[in-house]
Amino acid sequence: MPEPLLKIEGLAFSFDRTPVLSGVNLEIHAGENCLLWGLNGSGKTTLGKIIAGLLRPGAGRVNINGPEDGAPAGMVLAEPDRMLLGDTVLEDVYIGPENLGFDRTEVERRAFQALDYVNLLDYRDRPTAELSTGERKRLAVAGALAMGVELLILDEPFAFMDDAQAERLFTVLHGITESGRSTLVLSGHLLWPKRYDRLFVLCDGAVKSGQPDEMARYIDDLTAVCSDPPETVEGG
């Protein structure tokens, strides 16, 4: 079996000496579309930031077999406006590869390819302020793809979207995994769980993994005592 794209061993993290993650072990292979589910405050976003290199763990190892000429993992935050820095769509996607030191020709190639991938190429001259929520999230995805990430992490990517916008974004994620890259969705909702290759549950600082059907049942049991259980939407 090939080496996993992402391998986490014994990861721990604390805020102000309060444990958030403890003994996390997790593997994701190339081409997998995965969901990490957890209740609010469970540490999903924290774990995503550690994988993306935005936070350092207190203990444990995070290994990503990424490209030599790009960022191995990238994260799309729950609020895409925090990530959009360019005045226009194209200018925004330029920023990532420019910061990685690529020449202008390579920056343009990566930007146009990424925008085409998320179906925003025809919007390249549009001001980012005029985009819808769904378009802004797809633009944030394009920015990460232009940096050459092999693992794309998305924090609550379907929040504030209608069904059509969510379907459009999920189609983009499916295309990413079809190309051999991997995606990890962080969410407290079970949107189309059967569409994922694997489903992880973050509970009490640790991760449990399994097949979507098995883990969906586990989540149902886990949330049976909660006053605000997750919304489950099946599709496709």
Side-chain angles (χ1 to χ4, degrees), residues 3-236:
E3 286 291 313
L5 173 64
L6 168 70
K7 186 171 185 176
I8 298 176
E9 297 177 288
L11 186 145
F13 185 86
S14 298
F15 276 124
D16 297 328
R17 299 184 180 180
T18 300
V20 177
L21 303 171
S22 178
V24 171
N25 298 296
L26 187 153
E27 290 187 1
I28 293 176
H29 290 264
E32 285 191 318
N33 183 20
C34 301
L35 170 67
L36 175 66
W37 179 91
L39 295 170
N40 289 338
S42 62
K44 302 184 300 295
T45 300
T46 298
L47 181 55
K49 288 182 176 180
I50 291 172
I51 297 171
L54 303 177
L55 290 174
R56 296 185 64 179
R61 297 179 56 189
V62 178
N63 184 62
I64 304 175
N65 293 315
E68 296 181 358
D69 61 346
M75 185 170 182
V76 174
L77 302 176
E79 303 85 14
D81 289 349
R82 294 170 55 189
M83 304 186 64
L84 305 184
L85 303 177
D87 291 333
T88 68
V89 167
L90 187 58
E91 289 173 358
D92 189 80
V93 183
Y94 277 165
I95 293 173
E98 283 178 343
N99 287 340
L100 290 175
F102 294 110
D103 61 37
R104 190 66 178 180
T105 300
E106 180 64 9
V107 167
E108 290 183 354
R109 185 192 71 80
R110 286 169 172 258
F112 275 72
Q113 184 180 63
L115 287 175
D116 187 46
Y117 215 92
V118 301
N119 298 312
L120 286 178
L121 188 57
D122 291 342
Y123 291 49
R124 60 186 176 273
D125 296 321
R126 181 170 297 187
T128 54
E130 296 181 4
L131 299 178
S132 68
T133 297
E135 290 164 350
R136 292 179 187 185
K137 292 195 175 185
R138 282 189 285 136
L139 177 56
V141 169
L145 294 178
M147 296 174 69
V149 301
E150 290 296 317
L151 173 61
L152 180 64
I153 305 158
L154 304 101
D155 192 6
E156 295 291 358
F158 306 111
F160 310 112
M161 285 188 178
D162 60 30
D163 289 347
Q165 291 175 323
E167 181 69 54
R168 197 171 293 119
L169 178 57
F170 208 104
T171 299
V172 169
L173 301 187
H174 180 72
I176 291 172
T177 57
E178 285 288 298
S179 72
R181 289 168 288 188
S182 303
T183 60
L184 177 61
V185 170
L186 316 177
S187 183
H189 298 276
L190 285 176
L191 181 66
W192 304 320
K194 293 182 180 179
R195 294 191 182 186
Y196 293 95
D197 297 304
R198 279 195 297 156
L199 202 157
F200 304 101
V201 174
L202 179 57
C203 181
D204 295 329
V207 170
K208 181 179 176 66
S209 66
Q211 296 300 313
D213 284 348
E214 171 196 358
M215 298 310 297
R217 289 192 298 269
Y218 175 73
I219 290 172
D220 286 340
D221 293 339
L222 190 65
T223 57
V225 296
C226 297
S227 59
D228 186 22
E231 178 183 357
T232 302
V233 181
E234 295 293 349

